[in-house]
Amino acid sequence: MMPWDNGSAMKRLAACLGLFSLVIFSGDVFAAESVGDVGAQTAESISMTPIWMVLAGIVSVLAMIIGLKLNAFLALIISALFVSLLIGFQSGDDAGSRMEAVVSAFGGSAGGVGIVIAMAAIIGKCMLDSGSADRIVRTAVGVTGEKKASLGLMVSGFILAVPVFFDTVFYLLVPLARSLHKRTQANYLRYLMAIATGGAITHTLVPPTPGPLLVSAILGVDIGMMMAVGAAVAIPSAILGLIFSIVVDKKMPVPMRPLGANEDKHEPLAEEQLPSLWASMLPVILPVALIGAGTLATTLADKEDRAAVTAADIESFELLSEKFADASALSPAGRMVNSSKLTDEQRETLKAPPTTPEQEALFVAAMNDALLDPDFYDADAFDDVEIPEVSSELMAANQLRMKPVDRRRMNRALFDSAYPELLAAHRWDSSMRKTANSLGLWSNPNFALLLAALSAILTFKIVRQLSWREVGVDVEESLMSGGVIILITAAGGAFGAMLSGTNIASTIQQFFEGREAAGLAILLLAWSISAVLKVAQGSSTVAMIIGAGMMAAILGGQQPPFHLVYVATAVGSGSLMGSWMNDSGFWVFTKMGGLTESESLRSWTPLLATLSIGGLVTTIILSQIVPMAG
């Protein structure tokens, strides 16, 4: 059965479960031979409980939404609570605390998307009712023609998603898809999928988006190399995704449904009444320019890596090496010299004073490697050290998503505080960092979209010659539809968080431990691990970070027969596989596009699977044609 064919709810449910099971247990096919009995013993020691809990969550949410036709918000919250109670039963937590875990995850998700979705709802309605979207579409169609309009939307999403998150790009371009459909009276699903194609593929492959940025850092790939190869892998995949969108749109045309009450209450405007192109484009250009400027400044400031130790920072190599040589395990120096980030050779390097510039460089490099250790801080080791404020703030942040430059800053500040007489304090605030900090408010997506919403409201008021009271009514209507989207997206985030709480990521990691891989099997393994993690917990960024870390451990410092950037693109491609109801992107596409859950499962989910497989195939081909080994 093709993904767009109609079928019973139970068949679709069985297909989704089959996909998850296939991906979960395909690792054995792609992992090369294990070490005999050791591999067997490792497999036997893996607990299947997290896998069964995740499968139970999948059955629960799909059965309620597809089988019982229950409201998506209720189904997701009930399923999140169901999985949370299973976790509590396993760990011995009381039911009340498990409900609090769901509430906390819901609040965190709502905090992350609430303002952005609300502003996007306002922008979308105002751009449609003011004629701004119509003006942009008329101009674009005049350049590309109606037949190539979907290509224009795909290219727009492809470019805009490099500095901006996928969700924001989709919010900003959906009004254009709706206006374009009003003009052509066809191909609505194709337009939505074209935007999704361009935005999703660069979101997972091209820095400085956080996911690929962190993957490149974990695998030690230069950011410039990641951007170039990531784009090279993304372009063929995007073309494949656009072709797939055209096929799905022909097989499964979807009508454009109203997103809220009174959506079409304003009469269409004549061409001469439409706002200018620049005024029409402002709600799209403004947030992209602000967010992009902040992203660029932060990337350049991070490139300076001011927290990295230099030879000039060290007051005395002799005294510092002596400190390392005599350090106890429970001391700051002991934490550094015994770091899991160091090799035995590097540990010996730190214990002997360097006598040549080359040895000094190796000494400094070892220190910088140790400063990237996520487990560097230990309460007993730093008991007598005054913890710097910056370290306290960073230790309280999300460690999984922390950039290497911030982790090194956190640990460097700790080490500076422990040994001020041996190491000069690093100076973090360079001119570029100050520039990035000054753009912190303006480049914040919530603030940038707030400004975009205000510009859209002002254009709407002027063009339609409305009073502020009348404008307020329209804004309230858009917020009512946006509120529903916020609830569903936040509930999906809570459900995904509960699936993550089953420790499914650790189980998957254990499953691949002790394996060795060579040649193309490395790329297949990297893609498989990332795909499994994506299906299990919903976040592409988390799937990429954990997947890259696991591949770094599996490779163990060995160089494959091609550049490590291809491992990074394989991980990024895998993180697109199996997007369903635990993924916020699924709900953004569904609710902002006005689709049903079933329609998204038959369009969005196979579209991202197509992009994922296309990225893997392109990665394999490039790794053989242009291996860049060594």
Side-chain angles (χ1 to χ4, degrees):
M1 180 186 293
M2 299 301 288
W4 48 78
D5 289 339
N6 290 322
S8 69
M10 293 309 296
K11 285 184 178 179
R12 290 196 295 271
L13 174 59
C16 291
L17 291 177
L19 171 64
F20 180 78
S21 300
L22 176 63
V23 178
I24 277 283
F25 295 107
S26 65
D28 265 335
V29 177
F30 300 129
E33 39 186 70
S34 305
V35 185
D37 296 335
V38 177
Q41 291 170 7
T42 302
E44 290 175 2
S45 65
I46 297 175
S47 171
M48 296 294 292
T49 302
I51 295 176
W52 292 121
M53 285 195 286
V54 168
L55 287 173
I58 294 174
V59 170
S60 171
V61 73
L62 291 178
M64 281 190 279
I65 292 178
I66 297 178
L68 301 179
K69 309 296 183 185
L70 193 64
N71 176 272
F73 170 73
L74 285 175
L76 288 165
I77 284 296
I78 292 171
S79 297
L81 179 58
F82 172 58
V83 174
S84 185
L85 290 174
L86 290 178
I87 295 172
F89 179 78
Q90 176 72 14
S91 62
D93 294 340
D94 63 273
S97 66
R98 296 317 306 167
M99 185 68 221
E100 285 300 319
V102 174
V103 173
S104 178
F106 177 85
S109 298
V113 303
I115 295 177
V116 171
I117 292 179
M119 294 304 108
I122 295 172
I123 292 169
K125 182 170 177 57
C126 290
M127 286 186 68
L128 286 169
D129 290 347
S130 68
S132 295
D134 194 21
R135 168 65 74 190
I136 296 171
V137 165
R138 286 172 185 256
T139 304
V141 169
V143 175
T144 65
E146 288 186 6
K147 291 184 177 180
K148 297 181 180 178
S150 56
L151 175 62
L153 289 173
M154 187 271 283
V155 172
S156 299
F158 188 98
I159 295 172
L160 295 181
V162 173
V164 181
F165 279 110
F166 165 79
D167 294 2
T168 304
V169 171
F170 194 79
Y171 298 146
L172 293 175
L173 295 183
V174 160
L176 304 187
R178 297 181 73 82
S179 184
L180 187 58
H181 173 72
K182 288 181 179 180
R183 179 181 177 87
T184 63
Q185 293 299 309
N187 305 328
Y188 178 58
L189 183 60
R190 180 197 301 184
Y191 300 147
L192 290 180
M193 293 177 71
I195 297 171
T197 294
I201 196 67
T202 51
H203 176 76
T204 57
L205 287 174
V206 184
T209 307
L213 184 67
L214 289 168
V215 168
S216 64
I218 292 168
L219 292 172
V221 176
D222 180 74
I223 294 178
M225 177 66 74
M226 184 68 191
M227 292 180 72
V229 177
V233 171
I235 290 171
S237 303
I239 294 172
L240 182 62
L242 184 60
I243 295 172
F244 183 79
S245 302
I246 295 171
V247 174
V248 174
D249 183 61
K250 289 181 178 179
K251 294 286 185 177
M252 191 188 78
V254 171
M256 188 179 79
R257 305 180 181 97
L259 298 179
N262 302 320
E263 183 177 298
D264 298 319
K265 71 178 183 181
H266 295 284
E267 292 293 326
L269 295 169
E271 171 120 20
E272 60 274 10
Q273 295 176 302
L274 296 175
S276 68
L277 179 61
W278 290 111
S280 300
M281 289 287 291
L282 188 60
V284 177
I285 292 176
L286 183 61
V288 171
L290 291 175
I291 297 171
T295 301
L296 176 62
T298 301
T299 301
L300 292 175
D302 288 347
K303 189 74 173 175
E304 295 176 341
D305 202 2
R306 302 282 291 193
V309 177
T310 65
D313 293 336
I314 298 175
E315 301 291 348
S316 170
F317 280 98
E318 290 76 12
L319 293 177
L320 188 54
S321 62
E322 183 180 338
K323 183 70 69 174
F324 286 134
D326 299 335
S328 66
L330 290 180
S331 68
R335 296 296 296 173
M336 177 169 285
V337 78
N338 294 313
S339 170
S340 60
K341 290 286 184 178
L342 300 183
T343 63
D344 290 338
E345 184 178 354
Q346 286 178 308
R347 293 188 181 91
E348 293 305 316
T349 297
L350 290 178
K351 294 177 182 180
T355 56
T356 65
E358 291 76 13
Q359 290 177 348
E360 287 183 0
L362 293 173
F363 190 99
V364 168
M367 289 187 67
N368 284 324
D369 286 346
L371 289 176
L372 290 176
D373 191 343
D375 299 318
F376 179 76
Y377 175 78
D378 179 85
D380 292 331
F382 287 87
D383 184 47
D384 297 328
V385 177
E386 182 179 353
I387 306 301
E389 183 179 352
V390 63
S391 297
S392 297
E393 292 175 356
L394 289 171
M395 284 190 288
N398 186 325
Q399 299 298 302
L400 179 64
R401 295 173 182 259
M402 183 176 290
K403 294 182 293 184
V405 66
D406 288 328
R407 174 164 288 116
R408 183 176 278 145
R409 183 191 183 196
M410 174 180 72
N411 293 335
R412 171 71 188 271
L414 285 169
F415 201 76
D416 286 350
S417 183
Y419 304 109
E421 74 285 0
L422 297 178
L423 201 65
H426 71 285
R427 292 185 296 174
W428 179 256
D429 291 326
S430 64
S431 58
M432 183 53 68
R433 181 63 64 182
K434 290 178 180 177
T435 301
N437 291 341
S438 68
L439 293 172
L441 171 63
W442 299 95
S443 62
N444 183 289
N446 297 295
F447 186 74
L449 280 168
L450 172 61
L451 294 180
L454 293 176
S455 70
I457 290 172
L458 188 60
T459 302
F460 174 51
K461 180 184 186 304
I462 293 172
V463 171
R464 289 289 183 177
Q465 299 180 344
L466 301 174
S467 68
W468 283 111
R469 181 180 295 276
E470 292 171 319
V471 170
V473 171
D474 281 277
V475 168
E476 184 176 341
E477 290 173 354
S478 66
L479 288 175
M480 289 176 66
S481 63
V484 174
I485 299 172
I486 293 170
L487 286 173
I488 293 174
T489 304
F495 177 58
M498 293 307 102
L499 292 182
S500 298
T502 62
N503 289 324
I504 183 65
S506 298
T507 300
I508 294 168
Q509 189 165 359
Q510 291 172 14
F511 181 74
F512 288 104
E513 275 180 357
R515 315 270 178 179
E516 297 176 355
L520 294 182
I522 293 174
L523 301 179
L524 294 171
L525 183 61
W527 181 89
S528 299
I529 292 173
S530 185
V532 170
L533 289 163
K534 169 66 173 181
V535 174
Q537 51 77 48
S539 169
S540 291
T541 302
V542 171
M544 283 188 278
I545 294 170
I546 298 177
M550 291 171 64
M551 287 308 300
I554 290 170
L555 291 172
Q558 297 180 356
Q559 177 67 41
F562 39 73
H563 199 286
L564 279 172
V565 70
Y566 295 119
V567 179
T569 57
V571 168
S573 299
S575 70
L576 289 169
M577 190 69 182
S579 174
W580 62 291
M581 295 172 185
N582 63 349
D583 180 8
S584 63
F586 176 92
W587 294 110
V588 167
F589 181 84
T590 302
K591 297 305 175 183
M592 292 299 290
L595 276 65
T596 66
E597 292 83 4
S598 178
E599 287 168 346
S600 290
L601 284 173
R602 291 179 285 141
S603 58
W604 163 269
T605 301
L607 170 65
L608 263 65
T610 301
L611 295 176
S612 178
I613 295 170
L616 173 64
V617 172
T618 305
T619 294
I620 291 174
I621 293 173
L622 288 177
S623 71
Q624 301 304 300
I625 297 176
V626 193
M628 297 184 290

